[in-house]
Amino acid sequence: MSQRVRAAVFRPDDGRLADAAELLESLGAEPVPDAMLAVEPTDRTPREDADYAVLTSKTGVELAADAGWDAGGTAVCAIGESTAEALREAGYAVDRVPEEYSSAGLVDALEADVDGARVEVARSDHGSDVLTDGLEDAGAYVHETVLYRLVRPNAAGASTERAAAGELEAALFTSSLTVEHFLEAATARGVREAAIAGLNDAVVGCIGDPTRRTAERHGIEVDIVPAEASFDALATAVVEDAAPSYHE
């Protein structure tokens, strides 16, 4: 008989994991939540004297707002619409959102305007060099503030054993770090090769090409990279791809 798609999801357990599981349920899938990221705030605040400030995540926005960051006359830039929405909810005006929700897209959106400007980049400790290097190449004076560190929770890894046992039909990776932490957890449990094999029998989706490249570099075959870099688009595409072919 037909059975629901069992889909592993690796978002941080700060509300996003529960939201992701709820979305997968609404799509008819059986979520297998396994938080591969935990947020450790650094208690630092973005600079307030920049011409432009770039925020790259909802988490960064919330930490900056909680710290009382005053954007003042700074032009505030968000890497994507979810970050922009978080900024607006926190009371900040959003001046720029790139058409392509990526570091490269943000560089493209700003490079014509930042020559000689001070640009503050406030994000996690795993931010891409594509953003900072691209802005510097465009002539900007870039300052980076690490608002939080992303670490692998000690309890992470149950999904690696499910993958190794062939008990997943889908997996959804939302960053290169979720891929790396999944593999670290699999290695720690002694199931790395079997987990990769299990993923390669499932439908694997990645947000964006950088995440896809990381997965493929480690031998994981990627089936889905949605045109829109959002979790909703990723989940919908992966479940739709996995559902028709899964029968017990």
Side-chain angles (χ1 to χ4, degrees), residues 56 79 102-104 107 121 123-138 142 144 146 210 213:
T56 64
I79 201 166
S102 68
S103 293
V107 171
V121 176
R123 58 184 185 176
S124 80
D125 63 330
H126 285 277
S128 169
D129 291 340
V130 169
L131 178 57
T132 48
D133 289 352
L135 292 171
E136 287 178 347
D137 288 344
V142 178
E144 182 176 5
V146 175
R213 287 193 293 270

mmCIF file of all heavy atoms in Angstrom, residues 56 79 102-104 107 121 123-138 142 144 146 210 213:
data_model
loop_
_atom_site.group_PDB
_atom_site.id
_atom_site.type_symbol
_atom_site.label_atom_id
_atom_site.label_comp_id
_atom_site.label_asym_id
_atom_site.label_seq_id
_atom_site.Cartn_x
_atom_site.Cartn_y
_atom_site.Cartn_z
ATOM 1 N N THR A 56 21.815 38.654 6.887
ATOM 2 C CA THR A 56 21.696 37.477 6.033
ATOM 3 C C THR A 56 20.778 36.392 6.593
ATOM 4 O O THR A 56 20.643 35.341 5.968
ATOM 5 C CB THR A 56 23.081 36.860 5.778
ATOM 6 O OG1 THR A 56 23.626 36.396 7.025
ATOM 7 C CG2 THR A 56 24.030 37.873 5.146
ATOM 8 N N ILE A 79 19.327 39.584 2.571
ATOM 9 C CA ILE A 79 19.741 38.650 1.525
ATOM 10 C C ILE A 79 18.555 37.979 0.853
ATOM 11 O O ILE A 79 18.659 37.484 -0.265
ATOM 12 C CB ILE A 79 20.708 37.600 2.102
ATOM 13 C CG1 ILE A 79 21.543 36.954 0.988
ATOM 14 C CG2 ILE A 79 19.949 36.558 2.905
ATOM 15 C CD1 ILE A 79 22.729 36.173 1.481
ATOM 16 N N SER A 102 20.910 35.222 -2.654
ATOM 17 C CA SER A 102 22.196 34.583 -2.397
ATOM 18 C C SER A 102 23.244 35.658 -2.182
ATOM 19 O O SER A 102 23.000 36.843 -2.443
ATOM 20 C CB SER A 102 22.610 33.701 -3.583
ATOM 21 O OG SER A 102 22.903 34.510 -4.713
ATOM 22 N N SER A 103 24.420 35.245 -1.716
ATOM 23 C CA SER A 103 25.516 36.194 -1.540
ATOM 24 C C SER A 103 25.877 36.842 -2.866
ATOM 25 O O SER A 103 26.084 38.062 -2.954
ATOM 26 C CB SER A 103 26.738 35.478 -0.959
ATOM 27 O OG SER A 103 26.483 35.035 0.359
ATOM 28 N N ALA A 104 25.951 36.026 -3.925
ATOM 29 C CA ALA A 104 26.280 36.572 -5.244
ATOM 30 C C ALA A 104 25.197 37.541 -5.725
ATOM 31 O O ALA A 104 25.496 38.582 -6.322
ATOM 32 C CB ALA A 104 26.452 35.424 -6.245
ATOM 33 N N VAL A 107 25.656 40.853 -3.924
ATOM 34 C CA VAL A 107 26.774 41.597 -4.514
ATOM 35 C C VAL A 107 26.327 42.265 -5.814
ATOM 36 O O VAL A 107 26.605 43.450 -6.055
ATOM 37 C CB VAL A 107 27.987 40.677 -4.760
ATOM 38 C CG1 VAL A 107 29.054 41.408 -5.575
ATOM 39 C CG2 VAL A 107 28.583 40.207 -3.434
ATOM 40 N N VAL A 121 28.567 43.922 7.450
ATOM 41 C CA VAL A 121 27.981 42.607 7.195
ATOM 42 C C VAL A 121 27.824 41.910 8.540
ATOM 43 O O VAL A 121 28.815 41.620 9.215
ATOM 44 C CB VAL A 121 28.853 41.772 6.246
ATOM 45 C CG1 VAL A 121 28.272 40.370 6.077
ATOM 46 C CG2 VAL A 121 28.978 42.460 4.885
ATOM 47 N N ARG A 123 26.335 38.653 10.508
ATOM 48 C CA ARG A 123 25.869 37.303 10.183
ATOM 49 C C ARG A 123 26.502 36.262 11.102
ATOM 50 O O ARG A 123 27.090 36.610 12.127
ATOM 51 C CB ARG A 123 26.217 37.000 8.729
ATOM 52 C CG ARG A 123 27.715 37.097 8.408
ATOM 53 C CD ARG A 123 27.986 36.891 6.939
ATOM 54 N NE ARG A 123 29.421 36.870 6.624
ATOM 55 C CZ ARG A 123 29.912 36.633 5.420
ATOM 56 N NH1 ARG A 123 29.101 36.400 4.408
ATOM 57 N NH2 ARG A 123 31.217 36.614 5.226
ATOM 58 N N SER A 124 26.404 34.979 10.708
ATOM 59 C CA SER A 124 26.992 33.896 11.498
ATOM 60 C C SER A 124 28.479 33.761 11.202
ATOM 61 O O SER A 124 29.023 34.433 10.311
ATOM 62 C CB SER A 124 26.295 32.570 11.169
ATOM 63 O OG SER A 124 26.809 32.036 9.958
ATOM 64 N N ASP A 125 29.109 32.856 11.931
ATOM 65 C CA ASP A 125 30.540 32.614 11.726
ATOM 66 C C ASP A 125 30.805 31.753 10.501
ATOM 67 O O ASP A 125 31.963 31.476 10.186
ATOM 68 C CB ASP A 125 31.154 31.952 12.967
ATOM 69 C CG ASP A 125 30.561 30.580 13.270
ATOM 70 O OD1 ASP A 125 29.373 30.353 12.957
ATOM 71 O OD2 ASP A 125 31.273 29.733 13.834
ATOM 72 N N HIS A 126 29.761 31.334 9.805
ATOM 73 C CA HIS A 126 29.943 30.496 8.620
ATOM 74 C C HIS A 126 29.482 31.204 7.349
ATOM 75 O O HIS A 126 29.093 30.555 6.381
ATOM 76 C CB HIS A 126 29.196 29.165 8.780
ATOM 77 C CG HIS A 126 29.869 28.214 9.720
ATOM 78 N ND1 HIS A 126 30.904 27.390 9.340
ATOM 79 C CD2 HIS A 126 29.676 27.984 11.040
ATOM 80 C CE1 HIS A 126 31.304 26.670 10.368
ATOM 81 N NE2 HIS A 126 30.579 27.007 11.420
ATOM 82 N N GLY A 127 29.539 32.528 7.345
ATOM 83 C CA GLY A 127 29.134 33.282 6.170
ATOM 84 C C GLY A 127 30.084 33.069 4.997
ATOM 85 O O GLY A 127 31.282 32.849 5.169
ATOM 86 N N SER A 128 29.529 33.165 3.803
ATOM 87 C CA SER A 128 30.316 32.943 2.590
ATOM 88 C C SER A 128 31.241 34.122 2.296
ATOM 89 O O SER A 128 30.857 35.289 2.426
ATOM 90 C CB SER A 128 29.366 32.739 1.401
ATOM 91 O OG SER A 128 30.071 32.783 0.183
ATOM 92 N N ASP A 129 32.463 33.795 1.856
ATOM 93 C CA ASP A 129 33.402 34.828 1.420
ATOM 94 C C ASP A 129 32.943 35.506 0.129
ATOM 95 O O ASP A 129 33.445 36.580 -0.217
ATOM 96 C CB ASP A 129 34.791 34.227 1.194
ATOM 97 C CG ASP A 129 35.453 33.793 2.491
ATOM 98 O OD1 ASP A 129 35.044 34.286 3.560
ATOM 99 O OD2 ASP A 129 36.374 32.956 2.435
ATOM 100 N N VAL A 130 32.020 34.871 -0.581
ATOM 101 C CA VAL A 130 31.522 35.456 -1.833
ATOM 102 C C VAL A 130 30.966 36.851 -1.578
ATOM 103 O O VAL A 130 31.180 37.780 -2.374
ATOM 104 C CB VAL A 130 30.436 34.553 -2.458
ATOM 105 C CG1 VAL A 130 29.721 35.259 -3.613
ATOM 106 C CG2 VAL A 130 31.049 33.239 -2.936
ATOM 107 N N LEU A 131 30.286 37.034 -0.458
ATOM 108 C CA LEU A 131 29.675 38.325 -0.142
ATOM 109 C C LEU A 131 30.736 39.372 0.198
ATOM 110 O O LEU A 131 30.784 40.445 -0.413
ATOM 111 C CB LEU A 131 28.695 38.159 1.022
ATOM 112 C CG LEU A 131 28.001 39.428 1.509
ATOM 113 C CD1 LEU A 131 27.247 40.121 0.392
ATOM 114 C CD2 LEU A 131 27.071 39.102 2.674
ATOM 115 N N THR A 132 31.589 39.081 1.161
ATOM 116 C CA THR A 132 32.576 40.074 1.593
ATOM 117 C C THR A 132 33.608 40.361 0.509
ATOM 118 O O THR A 132 33.956 41.521 0.264
ATOM 119 C CB THR A 132 33.258 39.611 2.887
ATOM 120 O OG1 THR A 132 33.683 38.247 2.736
ATOM 121 C CG2 THR A 132 32.292 39.697 4.073
ATOM 122 N N ASP A 133 34.084 39.310 -0.155
ATOM 123 C CA ASP A 133 35.064 39.514 -1.221
ATOM 124 C C ASP A 133 34.455 40.297 -2.385
ATOM 125 O O ASP A 133 35.097 41.185 -2.969
ATOM 126 C CB ASP A 133 35.591 38.170 -1.729
ATOM 127 C CG ASP A 133 36.499 37.469 -0.731
ATOM 128 O OD1 ASP A 133 36.839 38.093 0.290
ATOM 129 O OD2 ASP A 133 36.858 36.297 -0.978
ATOM 130 N N GLY A 134 33.215 39.978 -2.720
ATOM 131 C CA GLY A 134 32.554 40.663 -3.826
ATOM 132 C C GLY A 134 32.340 42.136 -3.546
ATOM 133 O O GLY A 134 32.545 42.988 -4.428
ATOM 134 N N LEU A 135 31.954 42.456 -2.313
ATOM 135 C CA LEU A 135 31.755 43.858 -1.950
ATOM 136 C C LEU A 135 33.080 44.613 -1.928
ATOM 137 O O LEU A 135 33.155 45.767 -2.369
ATOM 138 C CB LEU A 135 31.057 43.948 -0.586
ATOM 139 C CG LEU A 135 29.607 43.458 -0.553
ATOM 140 C CD1 LEU A 135 29.098 43.401 0.884
ATOM 141 C CD2 LEU A 135 28.711 44.349 -1.395
ATOM 142 N N GLU A 136 34.127 43.965 -1.422
ATOM 143 C CA GLU A 136 35.446 44.606 -1.434
ATOM 144 C C GLU A 136 35.941 44.830 -2.857
ATOM 145 O O GLU A 136 36.521 45.880 -3.175
ATOM 146 C CB GLU A 136 36.441 43.764 -0.632
ATOM 147 C CG GLU A 136 36.205 43.841 0.868
ATOM 148 C CD GLU A 136 37.159 42.973 1.662
ATOM 149 O OE1 GLU A 136 37.842 42.120 1.045
ATOM 150 O OE2 GLU A 136 37.215 43.139 2.900
ATOM 151 N N ASP A 137 35.705 43.865 -3.727
ATOM 152 C CA ASP A 137 36.099 44.017 -5.129
ATOM 153 C C ASP A 137 35.349 45.179 -5.790
ATOM 154 O O ASP A 137 35.857 45.791 -6.742
ATOM 155 C CB ASP A 137 35.831 42.726 -5.912
ATOM 156 C CG ASP A 137 36.805 41.611 -5.536
ATOM 157 O OD1 ASP A 137 37.844 41.923 -4.918
ATOM 158 O OD2 ASP A 137 36.512 40.441 -5.860
ATOM 159 N N ALA A 138 34.163 45.474 -5.278
ATOM 160 C CA ALA A 138 33.373 46.587 -5.816
ATOM 161 C C ALA A 138 33.797 47.932 -5.223
ATOM 162 O O ALA A 138 33.213 48.969 -5.556
ATOM 163 C CB ALA A 138 31.884 46.350 -5.556
ATOM 164 N N VAL A 142 34.580 46.987 3.902
ATOM 165 C CA VAL A 142 33.699 46.010 4.530
ATOM 166 C C VAL A 142 34.148 45.707 5.954
ATOM 167 O O VAL A 142 35.328 45.463 6.218
ATOM 168 C CB VAL A 142 33.672 44.702 3.708
ATOM 169 C CG1 VAL A 142 32.788 43.657 4.393
ATOM 170 C CG2 VAL A 142 33.181 44.972 2.287
ATOM 171 N N GLU A 144 32.909 43.094 9.109
ATOM 172 C CA GLU A 144 32.039 41.963 9.418
ATOM 173 C C GLU A 144 31.883 41.808 10.928
ATOM 174 O O GLU A 144 32.864 41.830 11.676
ATOM 175 C CB GLU A 144 32.608 40.669 8.834
ATOM 176 C CG GLU A 144 31.723 39.453 9.076
ATOM 177 C CD GLU A 144 32.251 38.199 8.403
ATOM 178 O OE1 GLU A 144 33.360 38.248 7.824
ATOM 179 O OE2 GLU A 144 31.553 37.174 8.452
ATOM 180 N N VAL A 146 30.356 39.102 13.601
ATOM 181 C CA VAL A 146 29.800 37.763 13.811
ATOM 182 C C VAL A 146 28.805 37.836 14.957
ATOM 183 O O VAL A 146 29.179 38.045 16.116
ATOM 184 C CB VAL A 146 30.916 36.742 14.110
ATOM 185 C CG1 VAL A 146 30.311 35.379 14.461
ATOM 186 C CG2 VAL A 146 31.852 36.609 12.919
ATOM 187 N N PRO A 210 25.444 26.425 -3.708
ATOM 188 C CA PRO A 210 26.540 26.137 -2.773
ATOM 189 C C PRO A 210 26.275 24.893 -1.922
ATOM 190 O O PRO A 210 27.177 24.073 -1.712
ATOM 191 C CB PRO A 210 26.608 27.406 -1.914
ATOM 192 C CG PRO A 210 26.095 28.482 -2.820
ATOM 193 C CD PRO A 210 24.989 27.832 -3.593
ATOM 194 N N ARG A 213 26.668 21.839 -4.149
ATOM 195 C CA ARG A 213 28.075 21.506 -4.414
ATOM 196 C C ARG A 213 28.709 20.817 -3.210
ATOM 197 O O ARG A 213 29.508 19.883 -3.368
ATOM 198 C CB ARG A 213 28.849 22.777 -4.781
ATOM 199 C CG ARG A 213 28.515 23.299 -6.169
ATOM 200 C CD ARG A 213 29.513 24.353 -6.609
ATOM 201 N NE ARG A 213 29.434 25.572 -5.810
ATOM 202 C CZ ARG A 213 28.663 26.601 -6.100
ATOM 203 N NH1 ARG A 213 27.864 26.570 -7.161
ATOM 204 N NH2 ARG A 213 28.660 27.680 -5.340
#
